[in-house]
Amino acid sequence: MLRIVNGKVYDPANGIDGQVREICIDESGRIAQNVTGGRTIDATGMIVFPGGVDVHTHVAGGAINFARAMTPEDHRRTQAFIRTKTRRSGLGGMAPTTFATGYLYAGMGWTTVNEAAVPVLSARHTHEELTDIPIVDKASLTLMANNEIVLDLLENGEYERAKHAVAWYVWAAKSYGIKAVNPGGVAAWKWGHDAKQLTSPIAGYNNITPGTIVTQLARICEELNLPHPIHLHCNNLGAPGNIATTIDTLKHLEGRRAHIAHSQYHAYGGDGWESMCSRTSELADYFNSHPQLTTDAGAVLFGDTVTITADGPWQHLLYKLTGRKWGNLDVENETGCGIVPYTYRPSNLVNAVQWAAGLELLLLIKDPWQVFLSTDHPNGGCFWRYPEIIKLLMCADFRRECLTQLPARIKKHITLPEIDREYTLYEVATAMSAGPARALGLTRKGNLGVGCDGDVVIYHDTDDVEQMFGHPRYVIKGGEIVIEEGEIRETPEGREFLARPSYDPATDEFMKPLFEECYTMSFENYPVELERIERAEIMECSSE
Amino acid sequence: MGGKVTCTLGEVKQRADFIIYWGGNPAECHPRHFTKYTIMQKSKFLPRGRKDRTMVLVDIRETKSVKAADIFLQVRPGRDFELITILRAMIKDQHVADEQLAETGLARDVLEDLVARMKSAKFGCMFFGMGLSMTRGKHMNSAALLTLAAEMNAFTKFVAMPMRGHGNVTGADVIMRWQTGYPFGITFNRGYPRYNPGEFSTVDVLVRGDCDAAFIIGADPGATMPQPAIDHLKRIPTIVLDPHVTHTSRLARVHITTAPQGIAAPGTAYRMDELPLPLKPALKSPYPTDEEVVRRINAAIADKPFWLPEGSQPQMLTAQV
Ligand SMILES: [Zn+2]
């Protein structure tokens, strides 16, 4: 039991904007009206936020583990966690080890993370890694937009059956929702091609196009009543001029709810690397007039990182551009992934445009309930650098100072210099916690109302924004103080959120013969058993 | 140079119309590879199975796998790296001198034919075995082959994959990576993981006599390691967990019989393409599983005083060179 008194509370889910409130957490770890006994934290001179929620990150599974294997030189120079009685050893850096991932997220006040790209075939691996990420609660999304069984069904107009197959896959993977990456493009990549045109049939098919896949999957997510709508990584990621594809994709949603992943990578004009420019104002306008859409920034920070994505063709292009290491893993029937180490440099025009574009989206989309903090970790930068982004959002002067470091000719390519908006603490709390929690349908997260999870972060109220957000005074997870004065106190295990959509029981019979054809794993071994998920919390989804 | 362009075995089964086995003898070492994953399979894209696929074998000697191959290239021993480098040049139409070719023991027209076939394949896959990765050049050979596969993608789809050994070697590699960042050759002697194969690999630590206890699961170093390593295992307290009495058990202070993985103990095994497979035991064993034994030892150790003085919190290190 815990009582937090005298702190200025920022709880956007309940409209509380800096008023001094008392927050109580009962013995079950939930926010309560009142408690008797237990510890009291005097938060005088401090501010109180709901724990951060990362709507889109890559922290567990085959792809990030591939990235770890490819970057030993980074492990050697990075932050090392020495084993103590309460904490296991590990390494931070571009692709942190599992234990370190939990400590680093909790260390800056984030208490829930969503692993955004899981192939069903290796979901078992992803869950094993998620189990080894301490403190934070977790959810994961299944990759679906290039699954050949589902594509074949859509090709043949068997929408209903495709819907049941998708539901079957979500439960087989023990995941929380659906991620669509470069619809049709990853499937085409398996023949070395890509899908660039939203309305052209994808390689190997006559009817379905990236556009129809988007429309149908968005509808499937809605009809299955999944807590999170379709999580969409649009086609043409990273390419100059891709704004047209992005807007076209959004139109294909036909008014349905959707979360658009890492929009920064999808908001460019120009027709080549030299003329590439930011077209974020167009994209922001679209969001501003479509409140049913949410997005995360996928912001870029200058420095070293490793890029990992299911977008195989893009990674091949990046490898050709940089001449650096290239990892690629195509996953049978379902998806693929590519890995390329990358350095974002302020002197590079393309990188400078990317840096500006991420911030522009966060600043030009008016409603913080629609745009969330993310770097698409580790693609645009590492998650443990979020406090740097918060500073950039809160301090226009600091942004101007940073802009002076960029090439002078950048001005014609971006709109950031014209933006004066500064985030308030209330808006920061929305973009880092309340907003992403609501978009994910995690009703007890990002919310300090009675009955919600006792995930709270308490910061010193100082002018040094980066210091303040990088070093919370206390982090509380499920009522337990996990971080106090920069030290890890407790390392409880987090839970995993699963969604269980309903599907026709005959789906098993239907899938089995297709399996023998498409996979090299036996049908019985494919679904992850529920017993394999430690501390599962299941959300039942009833479809009408 | 670096990286790895690969896929799961199902992709090979479905799509690979061109398969190279390099420095391996799958017919004898991985007998189900041909039938389950590669040349014999029929698929949606390769309906005629074997007839739709070309198989090339590269090795220093004729093995039983030659019979299954369409083309056999006998490379001179220790010249794999040179051959791969020549292929990397030839795919880019760079000039290769006759004397360089002569070193490999292969004729120009043979290699020109190979390059033409590689480029006209729709989906090429190279499997490499210990004959490449454990002979002269070692990991440089593997890296060169992986680079060749990556570079082939300028012309057509190409991937490469190592043929891993038996047991759950891949599983150990995968888990060490997510917990420590490194696959093997790791030391924790400063309280956090550091990596240096050749220094921290088991055999090096034993030969130097650097460790004062050994705990061995699912391996039999007493049968395979050099004598100085074995001698050190005899000197120090060595504990073996194994379903069978092994060579190592005989020189160990303690042998604990455990339930065999996959037969009587559940868990996950990782296939050579890193796909996780559940182990569903069919039998019950009177012996505990490895996991139970390790958990109990760990609990007993937790009761001992911690290695750091009470109350001390070492700071995280920010820069390591
Ligand atoms: Zn992502």
Side-chain angles (χ1 to χ4, degrees):
Chain A
M1 275 176 302
L2 193 64
R3 184 190 296 272
I4 303 157
V5 298
N6 300 329
K8 278 197 265 175
V9 175
Y10 293 87
D11 178 16
N14 296 294
I16 299 169
D17 182 9
Q19 288 90 353
V20 173
R21 289 286 160 92
E22 192 173 302
I23 303 283
C24 298
I25 304 173
D26 66 18
E27 61 280 346
S28 68
R30 303 273 185 92
I31 309 275
Q33 200 64 255
N34 216 323
V35 287
T36 44
R39 182 169 167 184
T40 299
I41 291 177
D42 181 3
T44 306
M46 298 181 204
I47 62 170
V48 180
F49 270 40
V53 177
D54 200 335
V55 74
H56 186 110
T57 183
H58 303 283
V59 288
I64 189 81
N65 215 28
F66 198 159
R68 291 181 188 115
M70 275 179 54
T71 53
E73 68 283 359
D74 180 63
H75 302 333
R76 186 161 257 253
R77 67 182 178 196
T78 195
Q79 187 182 33
F81 287 80
I82 293 179
R83 176 174 163 252
T84 69
K85 257 190 156 162
T86 47
R87 123 189 139 208
R88 299 193 53 173
S89 68
L91 298 171
M94 306 188 313
T97 58
T98 50
F99 306 123
T101 299
Y103 307 147
L104 285 165
Y105 261 116
M108 62 176 190
W110 261 249
T111 47
T112 306
V113 301
N114 181 34
E115 161 56 57
V118 184
V120 189
L121 196 57
S122 59
R124 191 180 301 279
H125 172 178
T126 308
H127 289 297
E128 289 188 348
E129 279 200 38
L130 288 174
T131 302
D132 273 354
I133 298 179
I135 305 178
V136 295
D137 288 336
K138 294 144 284 198
S140 64
L141 303 178
T142 298
L143 291 163
M144 201 45 75
N146 294 281
N147 184 304
E148 287 157 36
I149 291 179
V150 174
L151 294 190
D152 288 350
L153 289 169
L154 294 177
E155 169 83 2
N156 298 327
E158 297 192 62
Y159 172 80
E160 277 302 313
R161 194 157 244 177
K163 182 167 89 181
H164 290 289
V166 168
W168 184 93
Y169 270 119
V170 167
W171 184 243
K174 300 294 174 285
S175 73
Y176 185 74
I178 285 166
K179 166 85 173 295
V181 173
N182 188 354
V186 182
W189 170 242
K190 295 193 171 163
W191 296 115
H193 306 298
D194 196 357
K196 298 260 176 224
Q197 290 298 327
L198 228 56
T199 49
S200 310
I202 58 174
Y205 292 86
N206 298 317
N207 302 320
I208 46 165
T209 65
T212 53
I213 299 173
V214 167
T215 310
Q216 313 244 40
L217 277 179
R219 187 176 150 204
I220 286 174
C221 290
E222 201 171 86
E223 291 183 1
L224 290 175
N225 257 318
L226 292 169
H228 183 50
I230 184 173
H231 195 106
L232 182 57
H233 159 146
C234 299
N235 299 67
N236 271 341
L237 174 138
N242 63 9
I243 182 72
T245 313
T246 309
I247 299 283
D248 204 8
T249 307
L250 298 179
K251 289 182 181 154
H252 274 88
L253 290 165
E254 298 176 347
R256 293 200 167 80
R257 283 180 67 214
H259 178 84
I260 311 303
H262 39 70
S263 287
Q264 179 277 126
Y265 288 103
H266 303 275
Y268 308 141
D271 50 17
W273 298 115
E274 269 306 301
S275 62
M276 182 172 138
C277 59
S278 157
R279 294 274 288 273
T280 49
S281 49
E282 233 167 290
L283 189 54
D285 283 347
Y286 199 95
F287 280 100
N288 289 337
S289 58
H290 292 79
Q292 78 278 19
L293 299 178
T294 58
T295 186
D296 60 275
V300 155
L301 291 166
F302 296 119
D304 291 330
T305 191
V306 54
T307 63
I308 63 170
T309 163
D311 203 333
W314 164 251
Q315 293 298 71
H316 182 230
L317 178 68
L318 201 56
Y319 154 72
K320 287 195 286 185
L321 288 172
T322 62
R324 290 174 72 167
K325 295 183 207 180
W326 175 35
N328 180 80
L329 171 65
D330 290 339
V331 178
E332 59 207 58
N333 189 60
E334 295 177 359
T335 180
C337 77
I339 294 137
V340 180
Y342 195 77
T343 307
Y344 292 97
R345 297 176 209 279
S347 57
N348 174 309
L349 185 78
V350 170
N351 295 164
V353 168
Q354 293 176 313
W355 175 82
L359 298 171
E360 287 167 9
L361 281 168
L362 281 157
L363 293 162
L364 291 173
I365 298 175
K366 291 180 189 139
D367 186 353
W369 287 95
Q370 274 182 279
V371 59
F372 314 133
L373 202 57
S374 89
T375 53
D376 188 19
H377 165 81
N379 288 300
C382 300
F383 68 81
W384 42 265
R385 296 179 67 189
Y386 286 170
E388 292 174 47
I389 303 177
I390 297 176
K391 182 174 178 189
L392 286 160
L393 295 176
M394 291 188 72
C395 317
D397 284 343
F398 178 60
R399 282 204 300 269
R400 278 181 210 110
E401 202 183 299
C402 293
L403 278 164
T404 63
Q405 310 297 311
L406 306 185
R409 61 200 168 108
I410 186 89
K411 296 216 177 65
K412 289 203 291 287
H413 298 254
I414 58 175
T415 46
L416 191 62
E418 295 142 43
I419 305 173
D420 293 321
R421 180 178 166 195
E422 289 183 333
Y423 267 50
T424 61
L425 287 170
Y426 188 75
E427 286 170 330
V428 173
T430 313
M432 72 169 248
S433 175
R438 183 179 287 178
L440 284 167
L442 292 169
T443 48
R444 297 210 314 269
K445 298 293 180 189
N447 187 329
L448 298 177
V450 170
C452 293
D453 289 344
D455 301 350
V456 185
V457 47
I458 304 174
Y459 304 101
H460 280 294
D461 192 359
T462 67
D463 291 336
D464 186 344
V465 171
E466 193 181 333
Q467 167 73 21
M468 163 175 149
F469 282 99
H471 301 84
R473 180 69 173 75
Y474 300 94
V475 179
I476 296 145
K477 170 70 193 1
E480 232 177 319
I481 298 175
V482 291
I483 306 282
E484 188 170 356
E485 296 190 71
E487 301 287 359
I488 298 167
R489 290 279 187 257
E490 300 293 335
T491 54
E493 301 299 339
R495 289 170 295 167
E496 243 201 85
F497 298 106
L498 316 180
R500 177 152 54 193
S502 52
Y503 55 85
D504 178 356
T507 309
D508 277 301
E509 287 313 303
F510 168 75
M511 298 291 284
K512 197 170 174 181
L514 293 175
F515 248 75
E516 326 271 273
E517 206 178 292
C518 298
Y519 288 93
T520 52
M521 186 188 277
S522 74
F523 185 68
E524 291 69 29
N525 281 343
Y526 183 81
V528 179
E529 306 80 5
L530 185 55
E531 312 83 77
R532 290 290 190 116
I533 312 294
E534 296 189 33
R535 292 166 291 278
E537 189 163 319
I538 302 169
M539 310 225 178
E540 303 287 349
C541 321
S542 55
S543 42
E544 62 278 41
Chain B
M1 175 159 117
K4 178 167 154 186
V5 178
T6 192
C7 65
T8 65
L9 287 166
E11 284 295 293
V12 180
K13 167 182 152 179
Q14 289 275 40
R15 295 170 207 266
D17 56 348
F18 191 81
I19 294 158
I20 303 178
Y21 284 98
W22 196 307
N25 178 11
E28 288 182 278
C29 303
H30 295 85
R32 298 204 300 158
H33 216 256
F34 290 154
T35 49
K36 250 186 119 174
Y37 306 123
T38 61
I39 55 177
M40 303 311 290
Q41 281 282 346
K42 289 182 182 160
S43 77
K44 178 161 78 169
F45 309 116
L46 304 164
R48 298 184 304 151
R50 183 68 186 89
K51 288 202 190 90
D52 284 332
R53 305 184 196 245
T54 304
M55 197 273 257
V56 179
L57 184 75
V58 186
D59 210 340
I60 55 165
R61 70 179 82 84
E62 280 200 35
T63 61
K64 286 209 170 143
S65 300
V66 172
K67 261 206 309 210
D70 297 301
I71 299 167
F72 172 57
L73 302 179
Q74 187 160 7
V75 59
R76 198 164 282 169
R79 297 295 171 188
D80 295 283
F81 185 84
E82 286 78 355
L83 178 55
I84 298 165
T85 309
I86 286 169
L87 289 173
R88 286 183 57 201
M90 287 176 75
I91 61 169
K92 289 170 243 167
D93 294 321
Q94 290 164 353
H95 176 68
V96 179
D98 288 337
E99 51 274 27
Q100 290 172 311
L101 271 170
E103 272 187 50
T104 66
L106 291 162
R108 187 183 294 273
D109 60 330
V110 170
L111 295 185
E112 276 172 354
D113 174 62
L114 177 68
V115 167
R117 285 169 187 269
M118 285 167 73
K119 286 188 178 178
S120 61
K122 281 183 103 173
F123 187 116
C125 179
M126 299 194 273
F127 292 99
F128 57 99
M130 306 236 279
L132 183 72
S133 57
M134 291 302 196
T135 54
R136 178 176 168 270
K138 288 193 172 173
H139 67 274
M140 289 303 290
N141 293 344
S142 319
L145 197 77
L146 291 167
T147 307
L148 173 62
E151 290 173 347
M152 273 304 295
N153 281 271
F155 310 101
T156 186
K157 181 83 188 179
F158 237 89
V159 298
M161 186 183 317
M163 300 281 282
R164 298 296 266 277
H166 298 280
N168 197 2
V169 183
T170 309
D173 179 315
V174 166
I175 293 174
M176 290 311 281
R177 246 156 52 211
W178 85 54
Q179 295 201 343
T180 73
Y182 304 118
F184 49 75
I186 304 156
T187 180
F188 293 93
N189 63 4
R190 289 188 190 162
Y192 66 94
R194 289 183 305 145
Y195 171 65
N196 198 13
E199 182 181 8
F200 304 138
S201 311
T202 318
V203 61
D204 302 291
V205 171
L206 287 171
V207 167
R208 286 197 311 272
D210 274 0
C211 57
D212 48 20
F215 186 73
I216 292 157
I217 307 178
D220 191 9
T224 54
M225 281 199 179
Q227 197 58 42
I230 293 175
D231 291 342
H232 192 66
L233 282 174
K234 285 185 199 158
R235 266 196 297 274
I236 57 175
T238 294
I239 304 159
V240 174
L241 267 56
D242 208 285
H244 310 287
V245 172
T246 64
H247 289 88
T248 319
S249 317
R250 293 206 180 85
L251 55 85
R253 302 268 175 92
V254 180
H255 166 95
I256 301 172
T257 303
T258 52
Q261 286 290 330
I263 298 167
T268 307
Y270 284 77
R271 207 165 71 179
M272 67 167 77
D273 56 0
E274 299 196 358
L275 279 189
L277 300 171
L279 299 176
K280 296 175 177 169
L283 303 171
K284 274 206 158 64
S285 168
Y287 300 109
T289 63
D290 290 329
E291 186 186 344
E292 283 170 55
V293 175
V294 173
R295 279 190 192 283
R296 281 163 65 184
I297 291 174
N298 203 27
I301 290 172
D303 289 339
K304 304 240 171 185
F306 192 61
W307 67 285
L308 280 168
E310 194 62 45
S312 72
Q313 280 274 14
Q315 289 307 302
M316 295 183 290
L317 305 178
T318 46
Q320 279 300 313
V321 183

